[in-house]
């Protein structure tokens, strides 16, 4: 995630709580505040993997229509019905779960991630048609934030095989805020300070505000791809923003990182996923 204007200091669902302390090298993670980008709550610190441009070249994997795939239809998340407000929590899961085998989507996106993004697009189209959220935009953010849960290392239900965490926000990384604990460690498994959580990298306090149940299991878990994708969509759409308008779309993406380079990077991947044309070397900005 990119570098932006420094802020003044401020004073695990269905997987075991394992801190991934080596997710990002120092200096690649930043936090923005709501005062910079509008009325939405501050979001998160993002995970950016070292090989961020690794799939900019090479053969195009077979694309599958995940919404019609039998594997997807068999999932509980394929059928939605009105539910009560979800329980916001992270639930420990067995460590011997198997990686999902859904066919890859455009540009090699892991199938389970495509299913989550497309599910979020469908739900948002029904509940907030003004927003016009395309799944490819969510995929662009998912690519930059965690490389789609580290290349789709998630089970069939969208739960990462190991939980996704950003670095601890204790001031040890240059350019980051110091953010004290806001959830008693219930979501990020950490006492004393907060850290970003899940494949879409939300801060605990922001997750609690926007938390959505994307797979209809009654739980809004930041680690789950389906829940995280739908929550990210609601966060971007907040305040009546319209993703069809470039200016409003940029304003929404800036909520993740107050950097136009970050916006350009997300949109580069979003465009690639929607057109199935890989970005050429140098087209994806370094953030």
């Amino acid at each position: 995630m990119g570098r932006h204007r420094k802020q003044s200091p401020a004073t695990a669902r269905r997987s075991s709580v394992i801190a991934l302390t080596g997710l990002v090298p120092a200096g690649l993670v930043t936090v923005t505040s709501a005062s910079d980008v509008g009325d939405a709550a501050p979001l998160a610190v993002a995970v950016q993997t070292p090989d961020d441009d690794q799939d900019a070249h090479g053969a195009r994997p077979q694309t599958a229509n995940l919404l019609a795939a039998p594997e997807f239809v068999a999932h509980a998340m394929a059928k939605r019905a009105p539910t009560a407000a979800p329980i916001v929590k992270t639930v420990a899961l067995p460590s011997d779960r198997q990686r999902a085998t859904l066919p890859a989507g455009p540009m090699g996106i892991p199938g389970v991630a495509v299913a989550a993004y497309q599910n979020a697009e469908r739900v948002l189209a029904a509940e907030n048609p003004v927003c016009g959220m395309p799944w490819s935009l969510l995929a662009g953010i998912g690519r930059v934030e965690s490389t789609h849960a580290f290349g789709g290392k998630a089970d069939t239900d969208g739960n990462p095989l190991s939980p996704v965490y950003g670095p601890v926000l204790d001031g040890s990384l240059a350019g980051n805020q110091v953010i004290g604990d806001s959830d008693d460690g219930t979501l990020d498994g950490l006492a004393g300070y907060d850290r970003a959580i899940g494949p879409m990298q939300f801060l605990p306090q922001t997750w609690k505000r926007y938390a959505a149940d994307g797979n209809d299991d009654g739980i809004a878990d930041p680690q789950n791809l389906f829940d995280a994708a739908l929550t990210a969509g609601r966060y971007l759409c907040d305040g009546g923003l319209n993703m069809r308008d470039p200016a409003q779309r940029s304003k929404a993406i800036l909520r993740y990182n107050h950097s136009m380079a970050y916006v350009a990077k997300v949109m580069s991947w979003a465009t690639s996923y929607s057109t199935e044309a890989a970005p050429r070397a140098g087209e994806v900005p370094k953030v």
Side-chain angles (χ1 to χ4, degrees), residues 18 32 49 67 98 150 191 204 214 216 237 256:
I18 304 173
T32 188
T49 55
L67 290 181
Q98 299 299 307
F150 302 121
D216 287 327
C237 294
Y256 260 86

Side-chain angles (χ1 to χ4, degrees), residues 116-253:
Y117 302 141
Q118 292 183 340
N119 181 70
E121 178 191 84
R122 184 173 61 251
V123 174
L124 291 165
E127 71 180 24
N128 187 0
V130 171
C131 182
M133 174 62 68
W135 74 267
S136 57
L137 176 53
L138 297 172
I141 288 178
R143 174 64 172 80
V144 175
E145 295 299 322
S146 71
T147 320
H148 315 299
F150 302 121
K153 293 180 180 178
D155 64 22
T156 302
D157 294 321
N159 305 306
L161 300 184
S162 295
V164 182
Y165 294 122
V168 179
L169 297 176
D170 59 2
S172 59
L173 289 181
N176 286 343
Q177 281 185 309
V178 176
I179 300 183
D181 181 46
S182 66
D183 67 331
D184 294 325
T186 57
L187 294 177
D188 63 7
L190 184 71
Y193 298 94
D194 273 346
R195 57 180 168 180
I197 45 179
M200 300 300 269
Q201 288 290 277
F202 280 87
L203 286 176
Q205 58 186 324
T206 312
W207 180 265
K208 287 186 288 186
R209 175 174 175 180
Y210 292 94
D213 176 14
N215 58 358
D216 287 327
D217 65 352
I219 297 171
D221 186 341
Q223 295 291 343
N224 181 268
L225 275 164
F226 290 87
D227 295 352
L230 182 55
T231 300
R234 287 182 176 175
Y235 178 74
L236 293 170
C237 294
D238 190 37
L241 295 184
N242 182 352
M243 299 304 107
R244 304 174 191 87
D245 179 84
Q248 294 186 50
R249 183 176 62 227
S250 294
K251 180 180 180 180
I253 299 172

Side-chain angles (χ1 to χ4, degrees), residues 92-103:
L93 287 177
S95 60
D96 59 350
R97 291 170 294 119
Q98 299 299 307
R99 183 169 176 167
T101 58
L102 287 170

